[in-house]
């Protein structure tokens, strides 16, 4: 696996790969886990070569968020990617991505509003901006993102369509289903922040979501069921629930009694750690 950290090295490296086949990009912020490796494997199945980016994007972290504490483990991540047969690792420093005087922002209206957009102002601008830059830097044929960040996926799809990024660079943005631990908790780099006790309590999140979905499918009133879901999480050790909402899976418009194409989205905090999850209702 070749590792490059500057744009000057990246261009010839991606050009060389493209000369011998198609190129897939898996954008990450490192602290890799099985969920990321699933993205890598799906990318390998869909393209001749895979580039993984590892860049902890400062622009998607709010002032009071965990940028400084975010796990940085490049040597470990690099070994994992090498073992998977990844062709190229793109691991720039912030000054390479946002040089002195950097002044451009991409803001996607609509799908970025509400849910995590309400709790993390500016977060999706940061995501859209860096993903647009990654597409222009790597110029992949395909890109792979996890469904755990469903709203992020919707923002990226909208941005790629609106800015014509899907032609000629990225033919397809692929989404990969959430990879879960044995107790059903969605895999996340942030799970590493949880103490042993918090980690055990965190399993209440997917469990309460599945129970709520079962009740909604059986005809229980949506708002009462979501209220009970919040109460269950608080009683299970979660400190707060940022949101528990039903939204249309594609437009992310709020959904009520009509649950066709709906997904349940939840963000809840356990200790200082914010966990998110989403599941199809039907
Ligand atoms: O999902 C992530 O890890 C990040 O938001 C992404 C897509 C790599 C952009 O920084």
């Amino acid at each position: 696996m070749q590792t490059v950290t500057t744009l000057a090295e990246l261009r010839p490296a991606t050009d060389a790969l493209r000369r011998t086949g198609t190129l897939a990009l898996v954008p990450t912020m490192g602290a890799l886990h099985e969920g990321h490796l699933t993205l890598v494997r799906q990318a390998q199945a869909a393209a001749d070569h895979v580039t993984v980016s590892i860049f902890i994007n400062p622009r998607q972290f709010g002032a009071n968020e965990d940028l400084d504490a975010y796990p940085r483990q490049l040597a470990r991540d690099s070994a994992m990617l090498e073992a998977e047969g990844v062709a190229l690792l793109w691991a720039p420093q912030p000054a390479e991505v946002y040089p002195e005087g950097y002044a451009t922002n991409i803001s996607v209206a609509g799908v970025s509003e509400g849910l995590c957009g309400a709790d993390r102002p500016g977060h999706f601008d940061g995501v859209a901006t860096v993903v647009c830059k990654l597409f222009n830097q790597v110029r992949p044929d395909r890109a792979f993102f996890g469904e755990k960040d469903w709203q992020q996926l919707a923002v990226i799809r909208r941005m790629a369509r609106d800015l014509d990024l899907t032609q000629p660079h990225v033919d397809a943005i692929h989404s990969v289903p959430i990879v879960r631990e044995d107790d059903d908790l969605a895999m996340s780099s942030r799970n590493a922040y949880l103490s042993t006790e918090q980690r055990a309590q965190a399993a209440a999140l997917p469990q309460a979501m599945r129970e709520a979905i079962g009740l909604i499918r059986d005809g229980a009133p949506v708002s009462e069921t979501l209220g009970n879901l919040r109460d269950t999480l608080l009683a299970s050790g979660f400190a707060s629930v940022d949101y528990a909402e039903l939204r249309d899976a594609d437009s992310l418009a709020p959904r009520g009694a009509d649950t066709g194409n709906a997904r349940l989205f939840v963000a809840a905090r356990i200790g200082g750690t914010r966990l998110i999850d989403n599941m199809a209702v039907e």
Side-chain angles (χ1 to χ4, degrees), residues 5-35:
T5 59
T6 65
L7 284 167
E9 298 168 291
L10 179 69
R11 288 276 147 78
T14 52
D15 285 350
L17 291 176
R18 257 194 308 275
R19 272 197 292 277
T20 58
T22 51
L23 183 58
L25 172 66
V26 180
T28 81
M29 297 204 302
L32 303 180
H33 51 67
E34 196 56 31

Short mmCIF file of all heavy atoms in Angstrom, two decimals, residues 5-35:
data_model
loop_
_atom_site.label_atom_id
_atom_site.label_comp_id
_atom_site.label_asym_id
_atom_site.label_seq_id
_atom_site.Cartn_x
_atom_site.Cartn_y
_atom_site.Cartn_z
N THR A 5 0.74 11.99 1.60
CA THR A 5 0.24 13.01 2.53
C THR A 5 0.16 14.40 1.88
O THR A 5 -0.27 15.34 2.54
CB THR A 5 1.16 13.10 3.78
OG1 THR A 5 2.48 13.43 3.33
CG2 THR A 5 1.18 11.80 4.55
N THR A 6 0.60 14.52 0.63
CA THR A 6 0.52 15.82 -0.05
C THR A 6 -0.23 15.66 -1.37
O THR A 6 -0.20 14.59 -2.00
CB THR A 6 1.92 16.40 -0.35
OG1 THR A 6 2.57 15.54 -1.29
CG2 THR A 6 2.75 16.53 0.92
N LEU A 7 -0.84 16.77 -1.82
CA LEU A 7 -1.55 16.74 -3.10
C LEU A 7 -0.58 16.47 -4.24
O LEU A 7 -0.93 15.80 -5.22
CB LEU A 7 -2.26 18.08 -3.32
CG LEU A 7 -3.54 18.27 -2.50
CD1 LEU A 7 -3.99 19.71 -2.55
CD2 LEU A 7 -4.64 17.34 -3.00
N ALA A 8 0.65 16.97 -4.10
CA ALA A 8 1.65 16.77 -5.16
C ALA A 8 1.94 15.28 -5.37
O ALA A 8 2.16 14.83 -6.49
CB ALA A 8 2.93 17.52 -4.81
N GLU A 9 1.88 14.50 -4.27
CA GLU A 9 2.12 13.04 -4.40
C GLU A 9 0.83 12.32 -4.82
O GLU A 9 0.88 11.27 -5.46
CB GLU A 9 2.52 12.45 -3.05
CG GLU A 9 3.78 12.95 -2.41
CD GLU A 9 3.85 12.47 -0.97
OE1 GLU A 9 3.05 12.93 -0.14
OE2 GLU A 9 4.71 11.62 -0.69
N LEU A 10 -0.30 12.88 -4.39
CA LEU A 10 -1.58 12.18 -4.63
C LEU A 10 -1.89 12.08 -6.12
O LEU A 10 -2.31 11.02 -6.60
CB LEU A 10 -2.72 12.92 -3.89
CG LEU A 10 -4.10 12.30 -4.07
CD1 LEU A 10 -4.20 10.96 -3.37
CD2 LEU A 10 -5.19 13.24 -3.56
N ARG A 11 -1.72 13.20 -6.85
CA ARG A 11 -2.11 13.23 -8.27
C ARG A 11 -1.45 12.11 -9.07
O ARG A 11 -2.18 11.31 -9.70
CB ARG A 11 -1.79 14.60 -8.88
CG ARG A 11 -2.73 15.70 -8.40
CD ARG A 11 -4.03 15.71 -9.23
NE ARG A 11 -5.17 16.13 -8.40
CZ ARG A 11 -5.45 17.38 -8.05
NH1 ARG A 11 -4.66 18.36 -8.46
NH2 ARG A 11 -6.49 17.66 -7.30
N PRO A 12 -0.09 11.99 -9.05
CA PRO A 12 0.51 10.89 -9.83
C PRO A 12 0.09 9.51 -9.33
O PRO A 12 -0.06 8.58 -10.12
CB PRO A 12 2.02 11.10 -9.67
CG PRO A 12 2.20 12.15 -8.63
CD PRO A 12 0.92 12.88 -8.47
N ALA A 13 -0.14 9.40 -8.02
CA ALA A 13 -0.52 8.08 -7.47
C ALA A 13 -1.91 7.67 -7.98
O ALA A 13 -2.11 6.52 -8.40
CB ALA A 13 -0.50 8.13 -5.94
N THR A 14 -2.87 8.59 -7.98
CA THR A 14 -4.22 8.23 -8.45
C THR A 14 -4.22 8.07 -9.97
O THR A 14 -4.90 7.19 -10.50
CB THR A 14 -5.27 9.27 -8.01
OG1 THR A 14 -4.83 10.57 -8.39
CG2 THR A 14 -5.53 9.21 -6.54
N ASP A 15 -3.43 8.91 -10.68
CA ASP A 15 -3.36 8.76 -12.14
C ASP A 15 -2.85 7.37 -12.50
O ASP A 15 -3.38 6.72 -13.42
CB ASP A 15 -2.41 9.82 -12.74
CG ASP A 15 -3.06 11.21 -12.77
OD1 ASP A 15 -4.28 11.31 -12.51
OD2 ASP A 15 -2.33 12.19 -13.02
N ALA A 16 -1.82 6.90 -11.77
CA ALA A 16 -1.24 5.58 -12.07
C ALA A 16 -2.28 4.48 -11.85
O ALA A 16 -2.41 3.55 -12.66
CB ALA A 16 -0.02 5.34 -11.19
N LEU A 17 -3.07 4.61 -10.77
CA LEU A 17 -4.09 3.58 -10.49
C LEU A 17 -5.16 3.61 -11.58
O LEU A 17 -5.59 2.56 -12.07
CB LEU A 17 -4.72 3.82 -9.11
CG LEU A 17 -3.82 3.56 -7.91
CD1 LEU A 17 -4.53 3.93 -6.62
CD2 LEU A 17 -3.38 2.09 -7.87
N ARG A 18 -5.58 4.81 -11.96
CA ARG A 18 -6.66 4.92 -12.95
C ARG A 18 -6.25 4.36 -14.32
O ARG A 18 -7.09 3.93 -15.09
CB ARG A 18 -7.14 6.36 -13.07
CG ARG A 18 -8.47 6.59 -12.33
CD ARG A 18 -9.09 7.89 -12.74
NE ARG A 18 -8.12 8.95 -12.60
CZ ARG A 18 -7.89 9.59 -11.45
NH1 ARG A 18 -8.61 9.29 -10.39
NH2 ARG A 18 -6.99 10.53 -11.37
N ARG A 19 -4.94 4.40 -14.59
CA ARG A 19 -4.48 3.86 -15.88
C ARG A 19 -4.73 2.35 -15.97
O ARG A 19 -4.83 1.79 -17.05
CB ARG A 19 -2.99 4.15 -16.07
CG ARG A 19 -2.73 5.51 -16.73
CD ARG A 19 -1.30 5.59 -17.28
NE ARG A 19 -0.29 5.59 -16.24
CZ ARG A 19 0.09 6.69 -15.58
NH1 ARG A 19 -0.45 7.86 -15.88
NH2 ARG A 19 1.00 6.62 -14.64
N THR A 20 -4.83 1.68 -14.81
CA THR A 20 -5.00 0.21 -14.86
C THR A 20 -6.35 -0.22 -14.32
O THR A 20 -6.53 -1.39 -13.95
CB THR A 20 -3.88 -0.49 -14.07
OG1 THR A 20 -3.92 0.00 -12.72
CG2 THR A 20 -2.53 -0.25 -14.67
N GLY A 21 -7.31 0.68 -14.24
CA GLY A 21 -8.65 0.24 -13.82
C GLY A 21 -9.43 1.33 -13.11
O GLY A 21 -9.00 2.48 -13.06
N THR A 22 -10.56 0.92 -12.55
CA THR A 22 -11.43 1.88 -11.87
C THR A 22 -10.95 2.09 -10.43
O THR A 22 -10.28 1.23 -9.84
CB THR A 22 -12.88 1.37 -11.84
OG1 THR A 22 -12.87 0.03 -11.33
CG2 THR A 22 -13.51 1.39 -13.22
N LEU A 23 -11.35 3.25 -9.88
CA LEU A 23 -10.86 3.64 -8.55
C LEU A 23 -12.04 3.95 -7.64
O LEU A 23 -12.91 4.75 -8.01
CB LEU A 23 -9.97 4.88 -8.73
CG LEU A 23 -9.28 5.44 -7.50
CD1 LEU A 23 -8.40 4.40 -6.83
CD2 LEU A 23 -8.43 6.66 -7.89
N ALA A 24 -12.05 3.34 -6.47
CA ALA A 24 -13.08 3.63 -5.47
C ALA A 24 -12.45 4.38 -4.31
O ALA A 24 -11.29 4.15 -3.97
CB ALA A 24 -13.72 2.34 -4.96
N LEU A 25 -13.24 5.27 -3.72
CA LEU A 25 -12.77 6.03 -2.55
C LEU A 25 -13.61 5.67 -1.34
O LEU A 25 -14.85 5.63 -1.41
CB LEU A 25 -12.91 7.54 -2.83
CG LEU A 25 -12.66 8.47 -1.62
CD1 LEU A 25 -11.20 8.39 -1.17
CD2 LEU A 25 -13.02 9.92 -1.98
N VAL A 26 -12.93 5.43 -0.22
CA VAL A 26 -13.61 5.25 1.07
C VAL A 26 -13.11 6.38 1.98
O VAL A 26 -12.01 6.28 2.53
CB VAL A 26 -13.32 3.87 1.69
CG1 VAL A 26 -14.05 3.73 3.02
CG2 VAL A 26 -13.71 2.75 0.75
N PRO A 27 -13.91 7.45 2.15
CA PRO A 27 -13.46 8.53 3.03
C PRO A 27 -13.68 8.16 4.49
O PRO A 27 -14.74 7.64 4.86
CB PRO A 27 -14.39 9.72 2.65
CG PRO A 27 -15.08 9.30 1.39
CD PRO A 27 -15.13 7.81 1.44
N THR A 28 -12.67 8.39 5.34
CA THR A 28 -12.81 8.10 6.77
C THR A 28 -12.09 9.18 7.58
O THR A 28 -11.33 9.97 7.04
CB THR A 28 -12.19 6.73 7.18
OG1 THR A 28 -10.77 6.89 7.32
CG2 THR A 28 -12.48 5.64 6.17
N MET A 29 -12.33 9.13 8.89
CA MET A 29 -11.56 9.98 9.80
C MET A 29 -10.66 9.10 10.67
O MET A 29 -10.24 9.49 11.76
CB MET A 29 -12.50 10.82 10.68
CG MET A 29 -13.33 11.79 9.84
SD MET A 29 -13.90 13.23 10.75
CE MET A 29 -14.82 12.47 12.07
N GLY A 30 -10.38 7.88 10.21
CA GLY A 30 -9.50 6.98 10.95
C GLY A 30 -10.21 6.33 12.12
O GLY A 30 -11.44 6.25 12.16
N ALA A 31 -9.41 5.84 13.10
CA ALA A 31 -9.93 5.03 14.21
C ALA A 31 -10.81 3.92 13.63
O ALA A 31 -11.98 3.74 14.00
CB ALA A 31 -10.71 5.90 15.21
N LEU A 32 -10.22 3.20 12.71
CA LEU A 32 -10.98 2.25 11.89
C LEU A 32 -11.50 1.07 12.71
O LEU A 32 -10.85 0.62 13.65
CB LEU A 32 -10.09 1.74 10.75
CG LEU A 32 -9.51 2.82 9.83
CD1 LEU A 32 -8.66 2.18 8.74
CD2 LEU A 32 -10.60 3.68 9.21
N HIS A 33 -12.66 0.61 12.32
CA HIS A 33 -13.26 -0.59 12.92
C HIS A 33 -13.86 -1.43 11.81
O HIS A 33 -13.77 -1.07 10.62
CB HIS A 33 -14.29 -0.21 14.01
CG HIS A 33 -15.31 0.80 13.54
ND1 HIS A 33 -16.24 0.52 12.58
CD2 HIS A 33 -15.50 2.09 13.90
CE1 HIS A 33 -16.99 1.57 12.39
NE2 HIS A 33 -16.56 2.55 13.15
N GLU A 34 -14.51 -2.51 12.22
CA GLU A 34 -15.04 -3.46 11.24
C GLU A 34 -16.02 -2.79 10.25
O GLU A 34 -16.10 -3.20 9.09
CB GLU A 34 -15.74 -4.61 12.00
CG GLU A 34 -16.02 -5.86 11.22
CD GLU A 34 -14.80 -6.51 10.56
OE1 GLU A 34 -13.68 -6.41 11.10
OE2 GLU A 34 -14.97 -7.10 9.48
N GLY A 35 -16.72 -1.76 10.71
CA GLY A 35 -17.63 -1.04 9.81
C GLY A 35 -16.87 -0.42 8.65
O GLY A 35 -17.28 -0.54 7.48
#
